[in-house]
């Protein structure tokens, strides 16, 4: 087999066989062909799509590119949550400690920033010393000791996703239901979990802008999980504006700490509690989602979730004191407000542009080898439905270099539609639930 023939086959819209897909995934993981050929193949998939059978094979090939984890000797259910990606989407850092404090195991494998969206690993690495690259033996120790572990794909665990994810990030090849399903489900099945909650984002800041596309992606992932014997539910949630107020790695950690300490913005707190509730329910800790929500609220009110997060950070080499005094997290040298050109009400937000503005400030990557700046980002002052005065700040940039400040500012102005009519606040956060 030759990779160039398989690129052409997908380019021309034909279905690939099991052997061909295994050849592509295995060959790329072992570096038998270069990034430019894999990029061409990924782009062909974006343009031509994949059949259900191709998606199932791709998911399994990625899953078996490394080892799968087995926690059967740990007493209790193992559950996880994964999001398809959004702006300011930081719920993992809140719900994992809630659910671990509530008595379930959370062995979470996450990703880095992807396209205009942020990534859990980059957020965690903004905590000084935090190590997301643990070998399976150390994962086991951390998980059994504190009920949760937060890591990335490694050379041993879903290495195919590690390589393909980094390549997709910078080649415009994220927005494919097939690639997203295989990327997420290969990681989640490799984790050795019993149940999974999917947060499938829809709206201007999501990869699936239209709700019907999000529902299609959710159904694909729920079906894949069910075939693999997992209990899965997908929540279709709104991403027409950033979640919470903070965007950027260390800033988002700060906002998560606020929620874990009983404060924080209502939308972020509510979605984190609802996702935790579903995890408790699917993990059979509670008899209903409503009971799960009550348990989640209790874990915050008692301080147990915050203490769990501190414990986890210490176990993974991080500075837990930085959670108690967030000023110890990386801080940008400069701050500047971005002022509105008009008075009125916020009618709409092109949320993807806000994600790109944060990336342009240094919070994301444009090339695989780019280093990100953990301190930079955006603090929003105005969200959907809010009144804005002329020259009033819409948001504040936290930045270290002014090289691309103007570009980031233009993106913010282009993303906010401010009109005279009073505008409704955001749609409800959870639009639909799809269960297996
Ligand atoms: N999250 C992932 O892990 N993979 C994707 O492709 C998109 C979101």
């Amino acid at each position: 087999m030759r990779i160039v023939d398989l690129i052409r086959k997908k380019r021309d819209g034909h279905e690939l066989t099991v052997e061909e897909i295994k050849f592509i995934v295995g060959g790329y993981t072992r570096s038998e062909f270069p990034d430019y050929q894999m990029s061409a193949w990924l782009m062909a998939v974006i343009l031509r799509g994949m059949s259900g059978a191709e998606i199932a094979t791709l998911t399994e090939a990625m899953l078996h590119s490394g080892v799968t984890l087995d926690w059967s000797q740990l007493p209790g259910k193992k559950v996880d949550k994964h999001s398809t990606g959004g702006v300011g989407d930081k719920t993992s850092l809140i719900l994992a400690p809630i659910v671990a404090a509530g008595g379930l195991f959370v062995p979470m494998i996450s990703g880095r920033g992807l396209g205009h969206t942020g990534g859990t690993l980059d957020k965690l690495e903004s905590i000084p010393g935090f190590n997301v690259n643990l070998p399976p033996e150390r994962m086991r120790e951390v998980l059994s000791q504190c009920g949760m572990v937060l890591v990335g794909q490694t050379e041993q665990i879903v290495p195919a996703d590690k390589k393909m994810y980094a390549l997709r990030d910078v080649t415009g090849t994220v927005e494919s239901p097939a690639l997203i399903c295989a990327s997420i489900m290969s990681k989640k099945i490799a984790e050795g979990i019993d149940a999974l909650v999917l947060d499938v984002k829809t709206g201007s800041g999501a990869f699936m802008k239209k709700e019907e596309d999000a529902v299609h992606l959710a159904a694909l992932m729920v079906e894949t999980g069910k075939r693999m014997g997992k209990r899965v539910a997908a929540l279709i949630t709104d991403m027409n504006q950033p979640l919470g107020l903070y965007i950027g790695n260390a800033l988002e950690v700060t906002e998560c700490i606020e929620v874990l300490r009983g404060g924080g913005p209502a939308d972020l707190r509510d979605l984190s509690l609802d996702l935790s509730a579903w995890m408790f329910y699917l993990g059979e800790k509670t008899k209903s989602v409503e009971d799960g929500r009550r348990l989640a609220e209790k874990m915050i009110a008692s301080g147990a979730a915050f203490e769990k997060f501190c414990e986890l950070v210490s176990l993974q080499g991080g500075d837990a004191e930085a959670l108690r005094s967030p000023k110890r997290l990386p801080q940008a040298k400069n701050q500047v407000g971005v002022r509105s050109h008009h008075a009125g009400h916020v009618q709409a937000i092109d949320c993807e542009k806000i994600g790109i503005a944060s990336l342009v400030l240094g919070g994301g990557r444009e090339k695989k080898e780019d280093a990100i700046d953990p301190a930079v980002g955006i603090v929003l002052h105005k969200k959907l439905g809010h009144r804005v005065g002329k020259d009033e700040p819409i948001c504040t940039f936290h930045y270290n270099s002014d090289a691309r400040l103007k570009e980031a500012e233009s993106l913010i102005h282009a993303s906010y539609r401010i009109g005279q009519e009073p505008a409704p606040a955001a749609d409800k956060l959870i639009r639909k639930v799809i269960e297996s």
Side-chain angles (χ1 to χ4, degrees), residues 135-164:
E137 315 77 63
R138 181 65 190 148
M139 274 184 80
R140 182 178 305 279
E141 284 166 11
V142 175
L143 184 61
S144 52
Q145 203 170 328
C146 90
M148 64 186 285
V149 63
L150 302 181
V151 294
Q153 318 94 316
T154 64
E155 304 311 321
Q156 289 154 294
I157 309 165
V158 275
D161 186 57
K162 183 178 169 77
K163 289 193 75 178
M164 288 165 68

Side-chain angles (χ1 to χ4, degrees), residues 90-104:
K90 49 188 89 71
T91 61
S92 292
L93 272 57
I94 301 168
L95 58 81
I98 291 178
V99 173
L104 295 175

Side-chain angles (χ1 to χ4, degrees), residues 82-85 109-112 114 117 153 161 165 168 173-174 176 179-185 187-188 207:
H82 202 90
S83 158
T84 56
I109 303 176
S110 304
R112 297 194 176 277
L114 193 60
T117 69
Q153 318 94 316
D161 186 57
Y165 191 100
R168 287 169 61 218
T173 52
V174 176
S176 145
L179 297 177
I180 296 177
C181 172
S183 164
I184 293 181
M185 296 311 287
K187 282 194 282 290
K188 300 294 109 172
F207 292 119

Side-chain angles (χ1 to χ4, degrees), residues 243-312:
L243 189 62
L245 298 172
Y246 291 11
I247 302 136
N249 296 298
L251 286 169
E252 292 192 38
V253 172
T254 307
E255 198 170 42
C256 292
I257 296 169
E258 284 171 14
V259 174
L260 285 169
R261 295 188 126 171
D267 59 347
L268 175 61
R269 177 183 159 82
D270 259 347
L271 185 59
S272 305
L273 288 169
D274 283 335
L275 292 165
S276 306
W278 274 93
M279 290 168 81
F280 281 134
Y281 169 63
L282 292 184
E284 297 172 7
K285 186 75 194 171
T286 58
K287 290 209 161 38
S288 66
V289 179
E290 292 71 29
D291 286 350
R293 168 101 189 191
R294 279 187 281 277
L295 179 55
E297 284 169 358
K298 212 162 116 193
M299 290 305 109
I300 293 212
S302 65
F306 178 68
E307 289 307 323
K308 184 58 75 182
F309 193 39
C310 293
E311 183 189 351
L312 183 272

